[in-house]
Amino acid sequence: MGAESLDRPAPSPRPQSLMLTFLGNYVLRRDIAVFSGSFIEVFGRLGVGEHAIRSTLTRMAGRGLLARHRRGRRMHFGLTGRSERILLDGEARVWRRGAVNDDWDGRWTVLSFSMPESWQRQRHDLRSRLVWAGFGPLGNGIWIAPSLVGVDQVIAPGGEDLGLTGRVKVFHGTAEEPTDVGAMIRDAFDLDGLAAGYRAFLDRWDRPEPLPGAPDDLARFLWMMTEWLGLVRVDPRLPVEHLPEEWPAVRAQEVLHRLRERYERGARAVADEVIEYVPVPCPRLAAPERAGAARPAARGPS
């Protein structure tokens, strides 16, 4: 990528993706609901207009991702059980598991399913869930993941939610000769697409000057984390030993941690000034705190 293209402002992430990043870093585990005007002020720093933010808040509330809390004439938005589960999953993928699998124990999860050709909706839903859980297709209804994945991470017990009772089989084990593990990975997973995502991240963030279009550390931090979450949510964490040399996720993860140290304190200071909230009872799911997580103490009601 040339210097001219690097100097142009990059397109901002989708408002809902930015919203989830904001909630995960500034609302999760705090039992608060944030004033709608604070969302407008925060995302305005990234060029997202008021109409888009209000539409996003309404849409997420309608999908059960946000809970409305009215205080007088002001509307505040807090978490729901569904959004908390999504945010905890994202937190685990970024800070506990990471994007680089350099300690793989050689075990795979193999899942097979069969269903009538007419079940197009169920087939689409199952494939989407499998990709989300880190599986790749080998063909003929067989999918593999380079880790131990419980079937409950893909479908409800027995498969009742998709009508798959008796149609799904799951195995755990290791690959034996004459299996070519590297070739199997290339067949089942889009390595070119994964690598391109990490290279685009490096093009945007592995540079000495601040990102064009992001005016302060809060904007930069939200933008960076949103982009990174988009990458790790589709990355199956393939074992590095079977990936091409200089796999770009390794460098990209180093850049992420370095810039987190650079931006996080300044982002917290900006958040303290602009985020207004009210205390509310929120769902609390049992999950370990990530080590070193900084959760800014946003401004409370006056």
Side-chain angles (χ1 to χ4, degrees):
M1 184 176 291
E4 181 180 352
S5 62
L6 286 176
D7 288 336
R8 292 199 301 267
S12 179
R14 293 174 57 243
Q16 179 169 309
S17 299
L18 284 168
M19 187 74 70
L20 290 171
T21 303
F22 172 85
L23 296 169
N25 283 277
Y26 300 99
V27 180
L28 183 64
R29 296 190 180 91
R30 299 191 57 217
D31 290 356
I32 63 172
V34 176
F35 172 48
S36 59
S38 293
F39 290 106
I40 294 168
E41 182 169 354
V42 168
F43 296 116
R45 297 162 183 269
L46 285 163
V48 182
E50 179 176 345
H51 176 73
I53 292 301
R54 293 193 183 277
S55 296
T56 300
L57 292 170
T58 299
R59 187 166 55 250
M60 291 179 69
R63 295 175 57 201
L65 293 171
L66 289 174
R68 292 183 175 93
H69 301 270
R70 183 177 292 279
R71 297 293 188 272
R73 299 179 63 182
R74 289 190 165 203
M75 184 64 72
H76 301 73
F77 293 86
L79 301 182
T80 65
R82 182 184 178 194
S83 59
E84 184 163 279
R85 283 189 292 272
I86 291 172
L87 297 176
L88 288 170
D89 174 73
E91 183 180 88
R93 291 181 186 231
V94 172
W95 303 119
R96 289 205 296 277
R97 295 199 294 271
V100 180
N101 186 352
D102 55 6
D103 58 355
W104 185 52
D105 62 6
R107 290 186 288 178
W108 293 86
T109 298
V110 181
L111 183 147
S112 67
F113 67 89
S114 62
M115 61 180 68
E117 286 297 326
S118 61
W119 289 20
Q120 295 299 318
R121 180 185 61 79
Q122 293 93 329
R123 190 182 304 273
H124 173 77
D125 288 349
L126 179 57
R127 287 174 172 170
S128 297
R129 296 186 192 189
L130 288 168
V131 171
W132 178 267
F135 284 85
L138 279 183
N140 297 319
I142 298 176
W143 292 64
I144 57 173
S147 59
L148 298 186
V149 181
V151 69
D152 60 331
Q153 296 177 240
V154 181
I155 58 176
E160 294 91 345
D161 60 335
L162 290 177
L164 295 175
T165 302
R167 296 180 179 274
V168 175
K169 299 177 179 64
V170 180
F171 306 88
H172 299 297
T174 58
E176 304 295 336
E177 293 185 355
T179 305
D180 184 334
V181 173
M184 184 171 68
I185 287 174
R186 290 191 296 274
D187 289 340
F189 300 95
D190 180 12
L191 297 188
D192 290 341
L194 290 169
Y198 287 114
R199 292 193 183 102
F201 181 89
L202 288 169
D203 285 342
R204 186 138 39 244
W205 297 101
D206 192 13
R207 51 191 305 194
E209 68 275 18
L211 181 72
D216 54 40
D217 283 349
L218 178 60
R220 285 186 278 272
F221 183 73
L222 290 174
W223 194 329
M224 177 183 71
M225 292 307 306
T226 300
E227 187 171 349
W228 185 258
L229 275 164
L231 293 172
V232 298
R233 285 190 185 279
V234 299
D235 188 338
R237 295 191 76 245
L238 300 167
V240 171
E241 63 196 86
H242 292 293
L243 294 174
E245 292 187 10
E246 299 184 2
W247 183 244
V250 177
R251 174 64 181 170
Q253 184 163 274
E254 292 172 354
V255 169
L256 174 82
H257 285 268
R258 172 168 55 83
L259 293 183
R260 178 196 180 194
E261 294 298 319
R262 179 188 301 180
Y263 296 147
E264 198 167 41
R265 181 174 297 181
R268 182 189 310 131
V270 176
D272 287 344
E273 293 298 320
V274 301
I275 301 175
E276 297 184 39
Y277 67 88
V278 294
V280 295
C282 289
R284 184 64 60 96
L285 301 178
E289 299 277 343
R290 73 170 168 86
R295 290 181 298 280
R299 187 169 81 247
S302 57

